[in-house]
């Protein structure tokens, strides 16, 4: 920030100084030229033609320097065929003015015809009454005074702009130091967070950094929730695996005759428990990454192709929005749909109907899955989502499918509800998940 400020201040002061120097130098030079113009006008107003045809002044010019030799202020009148009429200040010199042109307007230029004495020359051609000669009136002045004034102005500008530049840099440095000072408070607060083990950045902090502190505390809370979820998942998994392992250990200790069947059955339960918690862990991790997107229709078709192989006697119908996109990972979406559609085929009467985006105006993408089975009593529709809950124990399963669906959907900010299908008469599963940003 200081380097950028120093660069811009230097550039702006340099450009501004050059522009101001050019303007002041122009003003000094114009004032100098105006003085010469007054003198030239006085010369022309005082000039007359004498009886001998030569030019003369009917009154002396007012500036005393015209009478002092080499004073730095000179005039001269030149006409073709006539002797030059010079000021006494020229002494034994003359101004080298060409007489082969006619300057109806003022002609101003710089000249170095006198060694060591640069001149500012102003001339004008005049035809005086009583003469046909083109007289060249010339006034010249040493540029030393003009140059000295310009030099003095530049020195003042240089010192002023250098002081201004240092002052601006000092103010920029103070502003940078003061503006970034609140970050030191945050650094100390984070240091206290690390050393004391507190869970939030607290204490009186400047108002400028409050949004940053809020976001930091939100991040800490998010990480804390994820860590708590991880601990909860680990505890739940350990608890879920403890019972099957106890059954296997007891059967092995007692040398039960159905040990093999027991191991296979309990291993399936443990595998399902592991799959359940792995699905939750994947969903939490993908939610943290954000920007998840999945096309509903292709995932739905892929799930149906897999389920149709298992339930080839069931009729599956699809309808709805082919372009629906949801904010879920494709793998999680297919696992959710797979669990719901497989349950509909397993417990239904032979027909499964899936509608994508059933409520178009909703902020969530609703996917309805209906079957023509016996349905679920209203009193049991909440309990069925609990881990291990099963209403039909005559068919194989662990009772974890709907629990996995509920947990993963809630992680992504969606909902899943059970209702009665008006068209098929069986169960209606209303799955609502967030739409993906377009």
């Amino acid at each position: 920030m200081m380097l950028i400020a120093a660069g811009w201040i230097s550039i702006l002061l340099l450009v501004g100084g050059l522009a101001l120097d050019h303007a002041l130098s122009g003003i000094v030079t114009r004032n100098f030229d105006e003085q010469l113009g007054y003198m030239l006008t006085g010369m022309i107003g005082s000039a007359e033609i004498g009886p001998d045809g030569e030019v003369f002044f009917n009154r002396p010019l007012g500036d005393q320097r015209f009478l002092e030799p080499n004073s730095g202020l000179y005039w001269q009148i030149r006409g073709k065929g006539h002797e030059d009429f010079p000021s006494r200040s020229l002494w034994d010199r003359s101004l080298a003015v060409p007489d082969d042109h006619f300057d109806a307007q003022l002609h101003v230029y710089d000249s170095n015809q006198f060694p060591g004495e640069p001149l500012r020359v102003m001339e004008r051609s005049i035809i005086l009454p009583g003469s046909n000669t083109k007289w060249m009136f010339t006034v010249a002045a040493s540029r030393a005074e003009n140059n000295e004034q310009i030099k003095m102005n530049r020195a003042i500008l240089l010192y002023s702009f250098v002081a201004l530049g240092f002052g601006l840099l000092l103010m920029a440095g103070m502003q940078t130091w003061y503006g970034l000072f609140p970050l030191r408070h945050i650094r100390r607060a984070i240091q206290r967070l690390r050393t004391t083990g507190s869970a939030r950045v607290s204490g009186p902090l400047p108002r400028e950094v409050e949004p940053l502190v809020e976001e930091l505390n939100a991040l800490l809370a998010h990480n804390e929730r994820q860590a708590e979820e991880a601990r909860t998942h680990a505890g739940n998994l350990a608890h879920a695996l403890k019972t099957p392992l106890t059954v296997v250990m007891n059967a092995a200790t007692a040398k039960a005759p159905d040990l093999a069947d027991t191991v296979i059955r309990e291993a399936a339960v443990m595998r399902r428990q592991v799959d359940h918690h792995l699905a939750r862990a994947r969903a939490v991790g993908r939610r943290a990454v954000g920007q998840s997107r999945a096309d509903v229709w292709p995932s739905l078709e892929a799930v149906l192709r897999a389920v149709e192989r298992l339930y080839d006697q069931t009729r599956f119908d699809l309808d709805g929005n082919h372009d629906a996109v949801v904010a879920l990972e494709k793998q999680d979406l297919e696992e959710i749909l797979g669990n719901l559609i497989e349950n509909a085929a397993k417990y239904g009467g032979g027909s499964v109907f899936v509608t994508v985006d059933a409520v178009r105006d909703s902020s969530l993408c609703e996917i309805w899955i209906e079957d023509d089975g016996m349905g679920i009593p209203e009193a049991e529709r909440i309990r069925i989502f609990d881990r291990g809950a099963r209403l039909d124990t005559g068919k194989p399963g662990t009772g974890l499918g709907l629990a996995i669906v509920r947990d993963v959907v809630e992680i992504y900010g969606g909902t899943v509800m059970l209702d009665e299908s008006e068209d098929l008469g069986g169960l209606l599963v209303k799955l609502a998940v967030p739409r993906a940003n377009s």
Side-chain angles (χ1 to χ4, degrees):
M1 291 175 64
M2 286 300 302
L3 288 175
I4 293 174
W8 275 111
I9 289 173
S10 300
I11 292 174
L12 293 176
L13 289 181
L14 179 61
V15 173
L18 292 176
L20 191 56
D21 173 68
H22 179 75
L24 292 178
S25 298
I27 291 174
V28 172
T29 301
R30 283 194 298 273
N31 290 337
F32 193 76
D33 291 343
E34 286 178 0
Q35 297 297 323
L36 291 180
Y38 295 151
M39 297 175 187
L40 185 61
T41 301
M43 287 174 56
I44 296 173
S46 302
E48 292 184 6
I49 301 298
D52 55 355
E54 297 294 335
V55 68
F56 73 98
F57 290 145
N58 57 22
R59 62 178 182 273
L61 298 181
D63 201 313
Q64 184 67 24
R65 290 175 294 175
F66 285 129
L67 302 177
E68 300 174 3
N70 302 319
S71 64
L73 184 62
Y74 317 102
W75 58 260
Q76 176 180 288
I77 302 175
R78 174 174 292 180
K80 191 173 183 181
H82 298 270
E83 292 185 1
D84 290 346
F85 182 32
S87 65
R88 183 178 295 181
S89 58
L90 279 172
W91 198 245
D92 58 351
R93 299 177 297 181
S94 63
L95 297 173
V97 179
D99 55 1
D100 56 350
H101 66 285
F102 186 84
D103 291 325
Q105 302 296 327
L106 288 177
H107 181 203
V108 184
Y109 57 93
D110 293 329
S111 173
N112 295 314
Q113 56 185 282
F114 291 171
E117 188 179 13
L119 299 177
R120 183 73 169 171
V121 181
M122 181 177 292
E123 60 185 29
R124 185 175 180 182
S125 300
I126 297 293
I127 299 178
L128 295 174
S131 173
N132 294 326
T133 301
K134 298 177 182 178
W135 300 97
M136 181 67 73
F137 287 74
T138 305
V139 62
S142 173
R143 298 201 308 270
E145 182 180 351
N146 183 70
N147 293 342
E148 186 65 25
Q149 183 65 41
I150 292 176
K151 183 178 179 181
M152 184 174 63
N153 289 343
R154 285 176 177 171
I156 294 174
L157 281 177
L158 178 62
Y159 295 140
S160 301
F161 275 60
V162 168
L164 178 61
F166 278 116
L168 290 175
L169 287 176
L170 180 61
M171 292 301 297
M174 293 177 62
Q175 182 180 7
T176 302
W177 181 84
Y178 182 77
L180 297 179
F181 188 79
L183 296 181
R184 296 180 176 86
H185 290 286
I186 296 183
R187 184 188 67 183
R188 288 193 289 269
I190 294 176
Q191 186 178 13
R192 289 195 301 269
L193 184 73
R194 179 170 51 86
T195 55
T196 62
S198 67
R200 298 291 183 273
V201 176
S202 58
L205 292 172
R207 184 172 53 187
E208 294 83 358
V209 297
E210 285 181 358
L212 176 61
V213 173
E214 291 175 359
E215 291 296 329
L216 181 59
N217 284 333
L219 177 61
L220 293 173
H222 173 74
N223 290 338
E224 187 177 355
R225 285 195 304 271
Q226 284 195 317
E228 184 61 30
E229 287 177 356
R231 288 191 294 269
T232 302
H233 293 167
N236 290 340
L237 180 58
H239 180 74
L241 295 179
K242 184 181 296 184
T243 300
L245 286 174
T246 302
V247 172
V248 171
M249 287 291 294
N250 291 338
T253 302
K255 298 181 180 179
D258 59 344
L259 177 61
D261 294 337
T262 302
V263 170
I264 293 174
R265 184 182 67 252
E266 298 303 325
V269 173
M270 289 188 287
R271 183 177 64 182
R272 193 62 173 166
Q273 291 284 358
V274 170
D275 291 341
H276 172 217
H277 288 278
L278 286 178
R280 285 183 57 90
R282 285 197 305 269
V284 171
R286 290 165 183 161
R287 178 196 62 187
V289 174
Q291 304 299 324
S292 300
R293 293 176 64 90
D295 295 318
V296 176
W297 201 267
S299 296
L300 189 56
E301 290 179 334
V303 169
L304 285 180
R305 284 194 296 269
V307 176
E308 282 174 346
R309 297 190 185 98
L310 300 175
Y311 303 93
D312 54 357
Q313 301 299 320
T314 301
R315 176 185 173 186
F316 296 92
D317 294 310
L318 302 181
D319 191 17
N321 183 10
H322 289 235
D323 300 323
V325 182
V326 295
L328 274 73
E329 285 291 330
K330 179 180 178 182
Q331 182 177 350
D332 293 331
L333 176 63
E334 292 180 355
E335 183 168 1
I336 293 170
L337 295 174
N339 273 295
L340 296 177
I341 294 175
E342 184 180 356
N343 282 344
K346 180 189 299 185
Y347 299 106
S351 295
V352 175
F353 186 50
V354 181
T355 306
V356 179
D357 224 355
V359 183
R360 291 294 184 95
D361 296 333
S362 174
S363 59
L364 299 175
C365 177
E366 293 199 16
I367 303 173
W368 290 5
I369 301 171
E370 304 172 73
D371 63 62
D372 57 346
M374 298 298 294
I376 298 177
E378 186 174 355
E380 302 290 340
R381 290 174 186 170
I382 296 178
R383 187 180 69 84
I384 194 64
F385 285 105
D386 295 337
R387 284 191 293 272
R390 299 176 62 205
L391 299 183
D392 186 356
T393 58
K395 294 185 179 181
T398 59
L400 289 173
L402 288 179
I404 292 175
V405 169
R406 180 199 59 189
D407 290 347
V408 174
V409 169
E410 289 180 352
I411 286 171
Y412 280 105
T415 60
V416 58
M417 298 175 57
L418 302 182
D419 204 345
E420 182 178 352
S421 173
E422 295 181 358
D423 296 330
L424 300 182
L427 183 66
L428 167 62
V429 180
K430 294 182 178 180
L431 173 66
V433 291
R435 298 180 187 273
N437 294 329
S438 57

mmCIF file of all heavy atoms in Angstrom, residues 126-139:
data_model
loop_
_atom_site.group_PDB
_atom_site.id
_atom_site.type_symbol
_atom_site.label_atom_id
_atom_site.label_comp_id
_atom_site.label_asym_id
_atom_site.label_seq_id
_atom_site.Cartn_x
_atom_site.Cartn_y
_atom_site.Cartn_z
ATOM 1 N N ILE A 126 6.298 49.430 -39.618
ATOM 2 C CA ILE A 126 5.361 50.551 -39.645
ATOM 3 C C ILE A 126 5.726 51.468 -40.817
ATOM 4 O O ILE A 126 6.903 51.718 -41.099
ATOM 5 C CB ILE A 126 5.404 51.356 -38.334
ATOM 6 C CG1 ILE A 126 4.967 50.480 -37.146
ATOM 7 C CG2 ILE A 126 4.525 52.607 -38.415
ATOM 8 C CD1 ILE A 126 3.526 50.075 -37.181
ATOM 9 N N ILE A 127 4.718 52.000 -41.518
ATOM 10 C CA ILE A 127 4.903 53.065 -42.504
ATOM 11 C C ILE A 127 4.374 54.347 -41.868
ATOM 12 O O ILE A 127 3.169 54.495 -41.646
ATOM 13 C CB ILE A 127 4.173 52.758 -43.819
ATOM 14 C CG1 ILE A 127 4.716 51.465 -44.441
ATOM 15 C CG2 ILE A 127 4.291 53.929 -44.792
ATOM 16 C CD1 ILE A 127 4.004 51.063 -45.727
ATOM 17 N N LEU A 128 5.300 55.256 -41.546
ATOM 18 C CA LEU A 128 4.922 56.481 -40.849
ATOM 19 C C LEU A 128 4.360 57.508 -41.829
ATOM 20 O O LEU A 128 4.710 57.517 -43.022
ATOM 21 C CB LEU A 128 6.156 57.070 -40.148
ATOM 22 C CG LEU A 128 6.738 56.208 -39.030
ATOM 23 C CD1 LEU A 128 8.041 56.833 -38.520
ATOM 24 C CD2 LEU A 128 5.744 56.064 -37.881
ATOM 25 N N PRO A 129 3.482 58.393 -41.343
ATOM 26 C CA PRO A 129 2.944 59.454 -42.217
ATOM 27 C C PRO A 129 4.088 60.347 -42.741
ATOM 28 O O PRO A 129 5.014 60.689 -42.011
ATOM 29 C CB PRO A 129 2.013 60.232 -41.293
ATOM 30 C CG PRO A 129 1.653 59.268 -40.202
ATOM 31 C CD PRO A 129 2.863 58.406 -40.013
ATOM 32 N N GLY A 130 4.002 60.683 -44.005
ATOM 33 C CA GLY A 130 5.021 61.523 -44.632
ATOM 34 C C GLY A 130 6.201 60.738 -45.150
ATOM 35 O O GLY A 130 7.210 61.341 -45.533
ATOM 36 N N SER A 131 6.136 59.394 -45.158
ATOM 37 C CA SER A 131 7.255 58.578 -45.632
ATOM 38 C C SER A 131 6.700 57.308 -46.259
ATOM 39 O O SER A 131 5.705 56.745 -45.780
ATOM 40 C CB SER A 131 8.204 58.232 -44.481
ATOM 41 O OG SER A 131 9.188 57.312 -44.904
ATOM 42 N N ASN A 132 7.351 56.885 -47.326
ATOM 43 C CA ASN A 132 6.977 55.615 -47.956
ATOM 44 C C ASN A 132 7.883 54.468 -47.518
ATOM 45 O O ASN A 132 7.766 53.361 -48.016
ATOM 46 C CB ASN A 132 7.056 55.761 -49.485
ATOM 47 C CG ASN A 132 6.010 56.727 -50.018
ATOM 48 O OD1 ASN A 132 4.900 56.804 -49.484
ATOM 49 N ND2 ASN A 132 6.365 57.483 -51.064
ATOM 50 N N THR A 133 8.777 54.737 -46.593
ATOM 51 C CA THR A 133 9.726 53.725 -46.130
ATOM 52 C C THR A 133 9.048 52.795 -45.119
ATOM 53 O O THR A 133 8.265 53.234 -44.275
ATOM 54 C CB THR A 133 10.931 54.394 -45.468
ATOM 55 O OG1 THR A 133 11.556 55.272 -46.410
ATOM 56 C CG2 THR A 133 11.947 53.350 -45.013
ATOM 57 N N LYS A 134 9.370 51.508 -45.219
ATOM 58 C CA LYS A 134 8.907 50.529 -44.244
ATOM 59 C C LYS A 134 9.900 50.516 -43.093
ATOM 60 O O LYS A 134 11.009 50.006 -43.219
ATOM 61 C CB LYS A 134 8.797 49.139 -44.865
ATOM 62 C CG LYS A 134 7.791 49.052 -46.005
ATOM 63 C CD LYS A 134 7.788 47.657 -46.631
ATOM 64 C CE LYS A 134 6.819 47.580 -47.802
ATOM 65 N NZ LYS A 134 6.847 46.240 -48.460
ATOM 66 N N TRP A 135 9.508 51.145 -42.015
ATOM 67 C CA TRP A 135 10.373 51.229 -40.843
ATOM 68 C C TRP A 135 10.150 50.020 -39.930
ATOM 69 O O TRP A 135 9.027 49.648 -39.633
ATOM 70 C CB TRP A 135 10.088 52.517 -40.066
ATOM 71 C CG TRP A 135 10.324 53.771 -40.869
ATOM 72 C CD1 TRP A 135 9.398 54.502 -41.536
ATOM 73 C CD2 TRP A 135 11.578 54.407 -41.055
ATOM 74 N NE1 TRP A 135 9.969 55.586 -42.158
ATOM 75 C CE2 TRP A 135 11.337 55.542 -41.879
ATOM 76 C CE3 TRP A 135 12.899 54.161 -40.647
ATOM 77 C CZ2 TRP A 135 12.336 56.409 -42.282
ATOM 78 C CZ3 TRP A 135 13.889 55.045 -41.043
ATOM 79 C CH2 TRP A 135 13.616 56.130 -41.855
ATOM 80 N N MET A 136 11.265 49.414 -39.502
ATOM 81 C CA MET A 136 11.214 48.261 -38.579
ATOM 82 C C MET A 136 11.549 48.757 -37.173
ATOM 83 O O MET A 136 12.693 49.103 -36.885
ATOM 84 C CB MET A 136 12.205 47.186 -38.999
ATOM 85 C CG MET A 136 12.196 45.952 -38.095
ATOM 86 S SD MET A 136 10.659 45.012 -38.217
ATOM 87 C CE MET A 136 10.882 44.266 -39.839
ATOM 88 N N PHE A 137 10.524 48.822 -36.345
ATOM 89 C CA PHE A 137 10.696 49.221 -34.956
ATOM 90 C C PHE A 137 11.022 47.964 -34.143
ATOM 91 O O PHE A 137 10.270 46.983 -34.155
ATOM 92 C CB PHE A 137 9.431 49.881 -34.412
ATOM 93 C CG PHE A 137 9.198 51.262 -34.931
ATOM 94 C CD1 PHE A 137 8.759 51.478 -36.227
ATOM 95 C CD2 PHE A 137 9.441 52.369 -34.117
ATOM 96 C CE1 PHE A 137 8.549 52.753 -36.704
ATOM 97 C CE2 PHE A 137 9.231 53.656 -34.597
ATOM 98 C CZ PHE A 137 8.786 53.863 -35.902
ATOM 99 N N THR A 138 12.106 48.044 -33.405
ATOM 100 C CA THR A 138 12.568 46.889 -32.635
ATOM 101 C C THR A 138 12.920 47.321 -31.224
ATOM 102 O O THR A 138 13.577 48.362 -31.042
ATOM 103 C CB THR A 138 13.803 46.245 -33.276
ATOM 104 O OG1 THR A 138 13.527 45.916 -34.634
ATOM 105 C CG2 THR A 138 14.216 44.981 -32.521
ATOM 106 N N VAL A 139 12.454 46.504 -30.246
ATOM 107 C CA VAL A 139 12.846 46.696 -28.870
ATOM 108 C C VAL A 139 13.314 45.341 -28.344
ATOM 109 O O VAL A 139 12.733 44.310 -28.659
ATOM 110 C CB VAL A 139 11.684 47.254 -28.013
ATOM 111 C CG1 VAL A 139 10.515 46.301 -27.971
ATOM 112 C CG2 VAL A 139 12.154 47.560 -26.596
#
